[in-house]
Amino acid sequence: MANIQGKVWGQTSPIFNRNNVEIHRLEIKKGGACSKHYHVHKHNMFFVERGKIEVCIWQKDYDLTDKTILTDTQSSIIKPGLFHQFKAIEDSIVYEIYYTCLESEDIIRETVGYSDEDSSFI
């Protein structure tokens, strides 16, 4: 794989980055953990191919940290704006998938629709 980047917890290899989707293959050493961080716009999905990781999510709505253990073929999604961190419980191969969502309510109306009988074209 091209463009491998070493990390203190292992290494990451970007696989795909187009439009609103980005995929990285992570090789995480047992005991390795990423920084506690959040993404402003991106959802962050972890899919475990092999191994076992713990994903911690610091919630905004309540003063608790959600912890999820993921193992082979399991996944978890973190919404934008939530601090999170992963830690490898054993050597792991994980796919990290980032994506953004188009909001169905993404429209600002200045006028309303009409028929030819109601009004003139604006």
Side-chain angles (χ1 to χ4, degrees), residues 22-47:
E22 187 174 344
I23 303 171
H24 294 252
R25 182 178 185 272
L26 311 180
E27 294 181 27
I28 311 167
K29 296 182 258 182
K30 178 180 179 179
C34 71
S35 63
K36 179 181 174 182
H37 66 282
Y38 74 91
H39 304 279
V40 176
H41 301 288
K42 297 185 221 177
H43 288 73
N44 196 173
M45 177 181 180
F46 294 102
F47 174 85

Side-chain angles (χ1 to χ4, degrees), residues 50-62:
R50 182 178 72 238
K52 185 185 283 189
I53 66 170
E54 178 181 71
V55 177
C56 295
I57 303 169
W58 286 264
Q59 297 295 333
K60 289 182 177 180
D61 298 338
Y62 47 90

Side-chain angles (χ1 to χ4, degrees), residues 1-6 11-16 23-27 49-50 92-96:
M1 290 183 182
N3 200 18
I4 295 172
Q5 298 172 349
Q11 66 184 29
T12 181
S13 305
I15 295 173
F16 182 83
I23 303 171
H24 294 252
R25 182 178 185 272
L26 311 180
E27 294 181 27
E49 177 183 302
R50 182 178 72 238
S92 301
I93 302 295
V94 177
Y95 290 87
E96 186 172 30

Side-chain angles (χ1 to χ4, degrees), residues 62-75:
Y62 47 90
D63 190 26
L64 291 175
T65 303
D66 291 336
K67 294 182 180 184
T68 303
I69 303 294
L70 300 173
T71 189
D72 300 0
T73 72
Q74 294 180 327
S75 64

Side-chain angles (χ1 to χ4, degrees), residues 100-116:
T100 57
C101 291
L102 298 175
E103 299 295 330
S104 61
E105 298 300 319
D106 186 359
I107 185 170
I108 308 297
R109 297 183 195 280
E110 185 174 309
T111 65
V112 297
Y114 63 87
S115 70
D116 282 342

